[in-house]
Amino acid sequence: MEKIFDDIKLLLKDFELPHLARYVDDITSQIDKVHIAFIGEYNAGKSSLINTLLGKKIVAERDLPTTNRIVLVTHCPVEKREKINPSTELICINDPKLEHIVLVDTPGAASAVSEHEETLLGYLHKADLVVVVAPSTQPYSKEIEQLLELLAEKHTTQLAYVINIFEDPEVYEEDPNKIKRLKEFVKEKLRNILSAEDVDKTPIYAFSLRLVRKGVTEHPLLTQEWEDFKKFIFEEVAERAKKVKFAAIKEKLLKLFASEEILERKRQFEQLERELEKWQNLKEAVQDYAAKVKNDKVQKIEQSLDQLFEELKKDIEEILAKYGSFELVKNTDMVLKEIEETLRAKFFITEHLSRIQNLLDYRPEFVKLKKLYPELVVEPTIPARLGQLRDQLVKDIEQLPSTVGKPGKVAKWFLPLGVLVVAIGVGFMFGSNMSLKIFGGFLAAFGGILFLASLYRIATLKRGLLNSFNERIQKLNIHYKKLYTSYYLEKFEEKLSKVNDYLDLNINKVKSKLKKLGDLFNRMEEIVYKVTFKL
């Protein structure tokens, strides 16, 4: 049993509810004793009732509201009085009737001293039986009603009711049914607060404490219920002391597990579940956004490069179209220089370079991501090597003319050489020596072939030069598509990983809190089962 109580207190401390742990400590600290608290207005006779039950004056009796603390009276081997804390005093007497009982005197409910009320309210949760003491002149008051409402709302405490008759006995002799009407009046009032079953279980006693203390016997109607009340306190309650205590503790513990503080922890758990779902959905949304951005950006980079190199092809075609084959051979250096200058100017009179450079910059995508999901922590930094990548592209395009060489240079010299060889061969053919004639024929034929080959080379020079440029441009396009897309994806992923780290951090934090609370609720379920079926 003590193990269950220790587990409950540890659980409540882990729930960060130390005040509830102290509450459990309070209600289980004296499990072998039943606490019977006497409550009522300051002049109802609570202290006198306790002293009369004990047969001697143990607690102070005065007409003024002087009881400003909880006074506990019980049986101890050694008689003593001690102050437990600023609001509680313990009186130990040698009385076997109190072996399993603690009689508790409390401050008046209608005391003008506010700290008296606070002291009373701070004790109520410890009481196993509350005896309401009310004068017959006002058997039910607003203050009593407020106390009973508090008990019904927060505590599972059994009730008994004592109506202390203050009027002259003659009044009751003349109207014997007055006591019955007082009891019915109290029951009717209790029905506004308690269930019908609890009202039926609440014993109501009516007697004149003043006559009982004086030992007056000529008014039995006003004293006969005293013995019933005394028997109820010292026999019925005492005999079932532990049973009542255990039942009360069990009910209080089960009510505690349904308290507002525990419900608040359950609401926190549900809130954490929603928060976890939010962060997980956010991460999924970020991943979807990133996948779309990367796909779109790769397409745009490739399209932009295709457009750039396609325009370069057209520019080269337009320049070459201005020249004939022989003119192209004659002015090769000039034509290549014109192509080089045209390609260089391409980056100054168009927006291709800045557009491509902007495509490689991932910052706009993360700025948009931050606008879409403000809860994200996104700090885009300037991407590295942007200038270097841009300059390398410009340099490779400017060097295009030099990579194709000077086509037609050999053909330009071999064309007149072929004519010269043909002329020499023909000269030999007109000689008288047969051998020289034959040699001249071969030489003329060789010169003709050389001439025709050079002529063909010159005639097809423009197409060959254009093919050479196109081949180089195609290689550059493939190279920079791979280079630029790889660069963008790498830098984008680097920055995205920081966003994912932030998301994972929050997801893991929430998961950790959920696990902690979930473990606590699992422990609570086990404890509730033990309290319900084993306590």
Side-chain angles (χ1 to χ4, degrees):
M1 187 185 312
E2 291 182 2
K3 175 68 165 57
I4 294 178
F5 296 151
D6 289 341
D7 288 344
I8 293 173
K9 287 184 282 187
L10 181 60
L11 174 69
L12 293 171
K13 289 177 181 177
D14 290 342
F15 264 126
E16 298 181 0
L17 297 171
H19 63 290
L20 291 186
R22 290 193 295 271
Y23 166 76
V24 173
D25 201 36
D26 284 342
I27 65 175
T28 59
S29 58
Q30 296 190 44
I31 197 168
D32 60 331
K33 289 182 180 287
V34 173
H35 283 234
I36 303 175
F38 294 81
I39 68 171
E41 298 188 35
Y42 71 88
N43 60 353
K46 302 185 301 298
S47 302
S48 299
L49 183 57
I50 292 174
N51 288 334
T52 306
L53 282 170
L54 298 175
K56 54 185 174 180
K57 186 175 180 179
I58 301 298
V59 295
E61 298 178 28
R62 294 183 186 178
D63 292 335
L64 296 176
T66 54
T67 304
N68 62 356
R69 64 171 64 96
I70 302 296
V71 181
L72 311 177
V73 184
T74 189
H75 170 79
C76 300
V78 179
E79 294 193 357
K80 61 180 178 178
R81 287 175 178 259
E82 64 177 358
K83 192 175 182 180
I84 299 176
N85 57 52
S87 62
T88 308
E89 180 184 0
L90 173 64
I91 300 177
C92 285
I93 63 174
N94 186 7
D95 190 336
K97 295 194 302 295
L98 300 181
E99 185 177 357
H100 295 296
I101 293 176
V102 179
L103 301 180
V104 185
D105 195 14
T106 65
S111 171
V113 186
S114 61
E115 53 264 33
H116 291 192
E117 293 184 2
E118 293 176 3
T119 300
L120 172 60
L121 296 177
Y123 175 79
L124 281 181
H125 72 272
K126 302 179 186 180
D128 302 294
L129 174 65
V130 170
V131 179
V132 181
V133 183
S136 58
T137 53
Q138 192 178 10
Y140 193 86
S141 65
K142 181 180 179 181
E143 287 74 21
I144 293 297
E145 183 176 67
Q146 289 175 345
L147 285 175
L148 294 179
E149 286 177 346
L150 181 64
L151 286 171
E153 178 183 353
K154 292 192 174 183
H155 308 296
T156 54
T157 304
Q158 296 183 351
L159 287 178
Y161 215 99
V162 171
I163 301 174
N164 188 6
I165 298 175
F166 275 67
E167 296 99 328
D168 189 291
E170 298 295 334
V171 175
Y172 291 86
E173 295 292 343
E174 295 173 1
D175 184 3
N177 291 323
K178 185 169 183 177
I179 291 178
K180 182 178 180 182
R181 290 199 304 274
L182 284 173
K183 291 183 179 182
E184 287 298 328
F185 171 76
V186 170
K187 282 189 177 182
E188 192 63 31
K189 291 294 184 180
L190 291 179
R191 287 189 180 94
N192 295 328
I193 300 173
L194 307 177
S195 67
E197 181 182 359
D198 287 337
V199 172
D200 291 339
K201 289 193 304 183
T202 301
I204 301 177
Y205 301 92
F207 49 80
S208 171
L209 188 59
R210 177 172 57 85
L211 296 181
V212 169
R213 299 186 78 176
K214 289 181 177 181
V216 175
T217 59
E218 60 264 27
H219 301 288
L221 185 65
L222 303 184
T223 58
Q224 62 186 6
E225 291 191 16
W226 165 253
E227 292 299 327
D228 294 336
F229 176 70
K230 190 174 180 181
K231 181 179 178 181
F232 170 74
I233 294 295
F234 290 125
E235 295 183 24
E236 293 182 30
V237 175
E239 287 176 3
R240 55 192 179 117
K242 286 193 175 183
K243 182 179 179 181
V244 171
K245 187 74 173 181
F246 289 157
I249 288 176
K250 181 175 179 178
E251 289 184 37
K252 288 178 180 180
L253 291 177
L254 292 176
K255 199 164 187 177
L256 179 146
F257 289 128
S259 66
E260 181 60 29
E261 290 91 340
I262 297 297
L263 292 177
E264 177 59 28
R265 293 298 183 272
K266 289 184 178 180
R267 287 192 287 269
Q268 289 177 6
F269 185 84
E270 293 169 355
Q271 175 61 32
L272 286 171
E273 287 183 320
R274 291 192 292 271
E275 188 176 349
L276 177 61
E277 184 179 6
K278 180 197 77 173
W279 284 111
Q280 289 175 333
N281 289 340
L282 180 56
K283 183 173 182 179
E284 184 177 346
V286 169
Q287 299 307 316
D288 292 343
Y289 172 83
K292 185 178 184 304
V293 164
K294 289 188 290 184
N295 184 61
D296 291 347
K297 190 54 72 81
V298 167
Q299 289 183 7
K300 288 180 180 179
I301 290 174
E302 291 180 347
Q303 289 172 358
S304 185
L305 287 171
D306 285 340
Q307 184 179 353
L308 169 65
F309 286 112
E310 192 62 34
E311 290 186 12
L312 292 179
K313 287 181 182 180
K314 290 180 180 179
D315 290 340
I316 293 172
E317 287 177 0
E318 290 176 359
I319 293 173
L320 293 179
K322 296 188 300 183
Y323 300 94
S325 295
F326 286 97
E327 188 179 6
L328 188 60
V329 171
K330 182 179 179 181
N331 302 297
T332 302
D333 290 338
M334 181 190 71
V335 174
L336 293 178
K337 185 67 173 177
E338 182 181 353
I339 291 174
E340 181 180 335
E341 290 176 353
T342 300
L343 297 181
R344 184 182 293 114
K346 190 75 176 177
F347 298 106
F348 295 102
I349 64 176
T350 67
E351 298 179 351
H352 281 296
L353 188 61
S354 61
R355 184 169 68 250
I356 293 174
Q357 184 170 330
N358 289 339
L359 287 174
L360 296 180
D361 189 348
Y362 56 75
R363 286 177 294 178
E365 284 72 44
F366 284 96
V367 170
K368 182 179 179 182
L369 184 64
K370 176 67 175 177
K371 289 182 179 179
L372 287 173
Y373 308 108
E375 56 269 50
L376 288 176
V377 174
V378 182
E379 297 179 359
T381 53
I382 299 175
R385 294 173 51 218
L386 273 181
Q388 180 183 346
L389 292 173
R390 175 200 61 204
D391 294 343
Q392 185 62 46
L393 174 62
V394 173
K395 182 179 179 181
D396 284 343
I397 291 177
E398 287 178 345
Q399 290 178 350
L400 262 177
S402 63
T403 61
V404 298
K406 294 183 178 181
K409 182 179 180 181
V410 175
K412 181 173 66 173
W413 294 106
F414 275 24
L415 184 65
L417 180 61
V419 174
L420 179 60
V421 171
V422 169
I424 294 173
V426 171
F428 281 127
M429 288 173 63
F430 284 100
S432 58
N433 189 313
M434 184 57 66
S435 296
L436 288 176
K437 286 183 177 182
I438 295 172
F439 174 73
F442 280 111
L443 191 62
F446 173 74
I449 293 171
L450 187 62
F451 173 79
L452 292 174
S454 298
L455 187 64
Y456 176 79
R457 173 59 177 161
I458 291 172
T460 60
L461 176 63
K462 184 186 296 187
R463 187 178 62 186
L465 186 59
L466 189 58
N467 288 339
S468 182
F469 270 113
N470 288 343
E471 182 181 345
R472 289 293 302 160
I473 287 173
Q474 183 65 21
K475 288 182 179 179
L476 283 177
N477 193 6
I478 294 172
H479 169 72
Y480 277 97
K481 280 181 180 179
K482 182 177 180 181
L483 177 64
Y484 282 1
T485 55
S486 297
Y487 169 83
Y488 179 83
L489 293 176
E490 176 188 348
K491 297 303 179 184
F492 185 88
E493 285 294 340
E494 285 179 4
K495 182 55 63 176
L496 182 65
S497 67
K498 297 185 182 299
V499 176
N500 285 330
D501 288 345
Y502 173 76
L503 290 169
D504 289 339
L505 177 64
N506 284 279
I507 288 173
N508 291 333
K509 278 183 179 179
V510 177
K511 281 184 176 179
S512 177
K513 292 178 181 178
L514 270 174
K515 184 179 185 307
K516 180 180 178 181
L517 273 179
D519 290 344
L520 291 176
F521 282 119
N522 288 336
R523 283 166 54 190
M524 191 182 83
E525 287 181 7
E526 294 177 1
I527 290 173
V528 169
Y529 175 82
K530 291 178 181 177
V531 170
T532 304
F533 298 105
K534 296 186 179 182
L535 187 62

